[in-house]
Amino acid sequence: MISEEDTWIRCRRLVEQKVGWGDSEHWQNRDFEQLSELILAETGVSLSVSTLKRLWGRIRYDSVPTPTTLDTVARFVGYDSWRSFRQKDTSSQSIGIPEPQKEPLPEPTVLPVIPRPAIGRWLTGSLLGLLVVICIVWAYRQRDTTLRYGPVSFVSRPVAKGAPNTVIFQYDATDSNADSVFIQQSWDPRLRARVDKAGHTYTSTYYYPGYYRAKLVLNDSIVREHDVFVASAGWLGTVDREPIPLYLRANTVKKSGEISITPADLQTVGVSLTGEVPETNLFMVDSTGIVDGKHFVFETAVRSTFSQGKAVCQPVSIALLCSTGFHRIPLSVPGCVGELRLVTGNTIVSGQTTDLSGLGVDFSRWVLVRYEVNGKKASVYVNDRLVYQGNESGEVGQVVGLRFGFLGTGAVKFARFQNLDL
């Protein structure tokens, strides 16, 4: 019987093959941060860096992963759930069980061959002929695989104004010859949930703000799609927890002259900085603040305010959330820039192979960041100095919001977008 651990090892290898970052034994903290970003972008679920490190055996953890965690990783590698991956993995494996040793049998007696009656030969030939006919009919019926459908409807509505939020999908695909019906949560075709063709309602709960492009899929064809926004309802702070994050509302994170998460804020949700350093986020996702993803300027002033324990590098992640991808500007203290990964229009720029020393900063004062995208060119300025310029690839759509990620605590003085004049 295949163990749960063997199944997880195979799933982990699929993740490693997908990201293509080499042997996971050599992954650094930034690799797990980037993996967390990719999983969130593709599944709508955030798995913290500490959770991913536990799964990869970097942090000792005696408990088993939660079903939500396993389902999310399975979806990231193209399966509907952990159960479907395990069933597929089990069915694709065969385990040989040796036969018990037996005493050698005596030499068999050779009997004369008796010719089969003619009726036996006739029956065998008839069965073979019938089988051939069945195969021909089946192949002929399979020739016509054209999808046909009449009026098809697909709409949705969130039940709340912020996060967490349940989105209720209403659909009607009964007037079709589709064998299977799916609802796809976002732009990634792996994020499909099979639904009842005769049904009309499907719900999904989102715990983080973001933008989703939902699609109704008949067989393998997208027949309807629409935008789904899970807004943040102003500034929203979160502390990563599995399976549900902790929330810090706008009246907590908004302070005089800044938006921030402080040690006192963390204490209000029972989190201390004396143990394992928590991963925190500040979100602002608002559908009215959309700017053109091909020509825009983003400016902000940010600080990391915690540097103890594993937060010694003071990593800060500034993610610009887009309709079909994201941009990500990382910062850290100068001595840790080799672990940084810059993402420009879904293109990953590694600090191990690119000089990203300009993203190493002194957080004792506000750090000014300006990010410009003009067509296929992306430019990063830190404290009014150009520190990176390169070509971006991939279509990310429209910019719909942002997320500041900290290890421990951090603050934002301002954040603003504007369309770039052409």
Side-chain angles (χ1 to χ4, degrees):
M1 181 176 181
I2 300 174
S3 68
E4 192 80 6
E5 182 179 359
D6 290 338
T7 301
W8 165 244
I9 290 174
R10 279 182 279 274
C11 183
R12 189 171 66 186
R13 287 173 180 168
L14 289 178
V15 174
E16 295 168 1
Q17 291 172 7
K18 176 179 176 180
V19 298
W21 298 339
D23 189 348
S24 62
E25 291 296 325
H26 304 297
W27 286 7
Q28 302 297 319
N29 189 73
R30 286 299 183 221
D31 296 294
F32 288 100
E33 280 192 355
Q34 184 60 44
L35 180 59
S36 176
E37 295 279 357
L38 294 175
I39 290 175
L40 177 62
E42 295 190 8
T43 68
V45 179
S46 176
L47 297 183
S48 67
V49 172
S50 58
T51 295
L52 293 173
K53 284 186 173 181
R54 290 189 187 106
L55 292 174
W56 261 259
R58 296 296 188 87
I59 299 176
R60 183 174 178 178
Y61 191 58
D62 297 328
S63 301
V64 297
T66 66
T68 299
T69 297
L70 292 175
D71 285 344
T72 301
V73 178
R75 288 167 56 196
F76 183 67
V77 295
Y79 292 83
D80 292 334
S81 64
W82 177 254
R83 176 179 294 178
S84 65
F85 174 78
R86 180 152 176 73
Q87 290 173 342
K88 177 69 174 178
D89 186 62
T90 301
S91 64
S92 63
Q93 303 293 324
S94 61
I95 301 177
I97 301 177
E99 293 288 338
Q101 293 185 354
K102 300 179 181 180
E103 293 295 329
L105 297 176
E107 189 72 20
T109 303
V110 179
L111 300 176
V113 177
I114 302 176
R116 290 185 299 172
I119 188 172
R121 294 195 298 272
W122 175 85
L123 180 60
T124 301
S126 299
L127 291 175
L128 288 175
L130 180 61
L131 181 60
V132 170
V133 171
I134 291 174
C135 291
I136 292 174
V137 172
W138 179 85
Y140 179 82
R141 294 185 63 181
Q142 295 299 309
R143 291 175 61 192
D144 186 10
T145 58
T146 303
L147 175 66
R148 297 185 179 88
Y149 58 91
V152 173
S153 63
F154 182 52
V155 296
S156 68
R157 63 178 178 85
V159 301
K161 293 185 178 180
N165 208 333
T166 294
V167 176
I168 300 177
F169 294 95
Q170 299 289 343
Y171 67 97
D172 188 344
T174 53
D175 189 7
S176 73
N177 66 344
D179 297 322
S180 54
V181 179
F182 304 88
I183 289 181
Q184 184 172 313
Q185 296 179 357
S186 186
W187 52 271
D188 192 328
R190 289 167 295 184
L191 305 182
R192 293 181 180 179
R194 188 164 187 162
V195 297
D196 185 0
K197 180 180 177 180
H200 299 288
T201 302
Y202 173 75
T203 65
S204 183
T205 301
Y206 299 91
Y207 292 107
Y208 289 90
Y211 173 95
Y212 304 88
R213 182 71 173 175
K215 308 175 190 295
L216 181 66
V217 183
L218 304 185
N219 293 344
D220 290 323
S221 300
I222 299 171
V223 298
R224 294 289 185 275
E225 57 184 330
H226 62 262
D227 295 342
V228 175
F229 280 100
V230 179
S232 59
W235 282 98
L236 174 68
T238 64
V239 182
D240 287 348
R241 283 290 187 275
E242 292 293 340
I244 301 174
L246 304 176
Y247 296 97
L248 300 168
R249 300 298 175 180
N251 57 358
T252 299
V253 300
K254 290 184 68 175
K255 302 173 179 67
S256 177
E258 66 180 41
I259 310 296
S260 63
I261 297 177
T262 66
D265 297 334
L266 295 178
Q267 289 178 4
T268 65
V269 291
V271 176
S272 172
L273 292 172
T274 58
E276 183 176 348
V277 182
E279 297 175 34
T280 62
N281 301 282
L282 287 170
F283 285 94
M284 171 58 80
V285 180
D286 185 352
S287 62
T288 63
I290 294 175
V291 296
D292 179 9
K294 294 182 179 179
H295 305 280
F296 72 92
V297 175
F298 170 72
E299 296 177 308
T300 189
V302 64
R303 289 181 62 198
S304 165
T305 55
F306 188 75
S307 60
Q308 300 178 23
K310 71 175 185 178
V312 64
C313 289
Q314 294 184 264
V316 172
S317 170
I318 306 171
L320 311 185
L321 308 179
C322 307
S323 57
T324 58
F326 65 97
H327 299 270
R328 181 174 176 270
I329 304 104
L331 302 171
S332 74
V333 299
C336 300
V337 295
E339 297 183 8
L340 298 182
R341 290 185 182 276
L342 173 70
V343 181
T344 61
N346 293 335
T347 298
I348 301 174
V349 181
S350 172
Q352 296 179 347
T353 57
T354 305
D355 181 1
L356 297 181
S357 58
L359 299 176
V361 297
D362 177 7
F363 284 114
S364 64
R365 54 188 178 182
W366 291 106
V367 177
L368 301 178
V369 177
R370 177 182 174 92
Y371 183 63
E372 295 183 4
V373 174
N374 190 356
K376 292 294 183 181
K377 180 176 291 186
S379 304
V380 182
Y381 297 83
V382 175
N383 293 328
D384 297 323
R385 183 171 69 92
L386 179 65
V387 298
Y388 175 83
Q389 191 170 62
N391 293 326
E392 64 155 297
S393 62
E395 177 61 50
V396 296
Q398 295 174 309
V399 183
V400 298
L402 56 92
R403 180 185 65 194
F404 292 86
F406 305 98
L407 197 53
T409 58
V412 178
K413 189 173 185 180
F414 65 82
R416 55 184 175 238
F417 288 98
Q418 68 181 58
N419 286 309
L420 189 64
D421 294 332
L422 300 180

